[in-house]
Amino acid sequence: MDANFEAKLARNENIEPKDWMPDIYRKHLIRQVSQHAHSEIIGMLPEGNWITRAPSLRAKMVLIAKVQDEGGHGLYLYTAAESLNISREELLEQLHTGKAKYSSIFNYPTLTWADIGAIGWLVDGAAIMNQVMLQRTSYGPYARAMVRICKEESFHQRQGYEITCKLAAGTKEQKEMAQDALNRFWWPTLMMFGPPDAASSNSENAIKWKIKRESNDQLRQRFVNQTVPQAELIGLTIPDKNLEWNEAKKGYDFSDPDWKEFNNVIHGNGPCNRERLGARVKAHENGRWVREAAIAYAEKRKQKAAAYQ
Ligand code: FAQ
């Protein structure tokens, strides 16, 4: 282990691409950053599904902007991963062949417009909870990408909460639709933080190397504490009969999600895994001519520039 690497971590300084780093630190980061990038890109699909059916022009414009932001987040994160010495082609190959994971949450269907509210409110809410600490992650390019991403995610959380608030204050059917979306997305959202600390195989190294600053369970607890009052404010009920304020820990007690279901989903057997990966591979194939044309154009410009020298 290089003393300089350890000293930088101890001083809370970022590790940069040209710094020496242990191979397992590099591999750990490639795994996490690329999983994160894949999640942003796959995450465009369940919401993109509702662009043509948004209930107003305003809602459509906001949703288009949000989905586009997620694509941008994917690009910053792929670039951060590439700085660890792996190519974009390899990263995409890992996603398309099912070797690399992406967030379990995107393997659930979006059945109604209220689901778009639930994704913004809960899924982006959980994403921010996790990503705020990642702004201080030890790898420089990842930390810097997270600063901008967090700003945009907080707008996403608000747009989702706004949709949910409107539905909750609407007709009986609209309120039921919002409640149904909360019922279906609550448990998968809790799973986004990863397995319980005792079962989290990567956490020990992640905390030691300051990649993660807080544990899966700590972040999950904070998310529940923040979200329960938001649901109460708009008259929706968190679907957990064991949910109860615990004064001693100044937080809510709550039930575990179904970890068997989580394991099934992350191993490719969730309700939409095949559909999502199929759509992603198809989009990649359909974009092949654009990539080839861009490369050919860049090559032509290079040749032209050389001819003038
Ligand atoms: N889904 O040892 P740990 C977003 C895997 S961004 C799938 O605890 P770690 C924005 C894990 O990879 C959402 N797999 O792992 C948006 C590992 O498997 P491996 C994505 C999961 O890395 C919003 C194994 O289980 N955010 O949503 C999940 O220390 C709306 C054992 O787990 C990030 O990626 C899961 N939920 O902790 C976009 C944030 N949980 O690789 C569109 C960065 C665990 O050993 C619309 N990532 N696994 O085979 C992280 O903070 C961490 O990687 C965790 C997992 C917390 C996800």
Side-chain angles (χ1 to χ4, degrees), residues 28 31-32 35-37 39-44 47 66 70 73 101-106 119-120 123-124 127 130-131 133-134 142 153 156 188 191-196 199-203 206 212 216 219 262-263 266:
H28 189 117
R31 180 192 64 80
Q32 177 168 328
Q35 175 183 307
H36 196 164
S39 305
E40 302 280 357
I41 300 292
I42 298 273
M44 296 168 79
E47 289 180 300
K66 178 188 190 295
E70 309 298 3
H73 298 174
K101 294 188 173 74
Y102 58 87
S103 184
S104 49
I105 190 75
F106 303 118
I119 291 187
V123 175
D124 284 278
N130 184 289
Q131 290 168 355
M133 75 160 175
L134 292 174
Y142 191 24
E153 298 291 22
H156 298 167
M191 295 174 194
M192 282 178 71
F193 294 94
S200 165
S201 49
N202 299 298
S203 273
K212 294 204 299 204
N216 298 358
L219 293 165
F262 169 77
N263 280 317
I266 67 171

Side-chain angles (χ1 to χ4, degrees), residues 171-291:
T171 61
K172 182 172 162 289
E173 287 78 10
Q174 285 172 325
K175 186 166 183 184
E176 278 169 8
M177 202 161 85
Q179 182 64 53
D180 173 60
L182 171 58
N183 294 348
R184 282 180 290 108
F185 273 90
W186 178 251
W187 302 107
T189 302
L190 294 188
M191 295 174 194
M192 282 178 71
F193 294 94
D197 291 352
S200 165
S201 49
N202 299 298
S203 273
E204 194 183 334
N205 280 340
I207 301 270
K208 182 172 79 186
W209 292 324
K210 300 187 176 175
I211 294 171
K212 294 204 299 204
R213 299 273 179 169
E214 287 174 279
S215 77
N216 298 358
D217 285 334
Q218 279 172 319
L219 293 165
R220 191 170 8 250
Q221 177 73 57
R222 187 165 321 129
F223 171 78
V224 172
N225 294 350
Q226 175 184 286
T227 310
V228 172
Q230 293 171 352
E232 282 171 354
L233 185 71
I234 55 175
L236 297 184
T237 309
I238 303 287
D240 180 355
K241 55 183 178 356
N242 296 318
L243 187 79
E244 201 179 339
W245 179 254
N246 179 333
E247 186 54 33
K249 73 171 183 188
K250 296 263 183 267
Y252 286 91
D253 289 329
F254 57 96
S255 307
D256 265 336
D258 180 349
W259 292 118
K260 216 167 118 209
E261 175 182 319
F262 169 77
N263 280 317
N264 266 331
V265 175
I266 67 171
H267 289 108
N269 301 314
C272 298
N273 292 60
R274 279 170 202 81
E275 183 186 332
R276 298 287 184 244
L277 218 47
R280 179 84 272 288
V281 171
K282 190 166 163 228
H284 189 70
E285 287 309 320
N286 287 342
R288 182 177 297 283
W289 71 272
V290 180
R291 292 189 297 278

Side-chain angles (χ1 to χ4, degrees), residues 45-57 59-60 63 110-114 116:
L45 297 170
E47 289 180 300
N49 196 23
W50 276 87
I51 290 174
T52 52
R53 290 175 286 166
S56 70
L57 185 58
K60 194 192 283 283
L63 185 58
T110 40
L111 303 177
T112 69
W113 176 248
I116 301 306

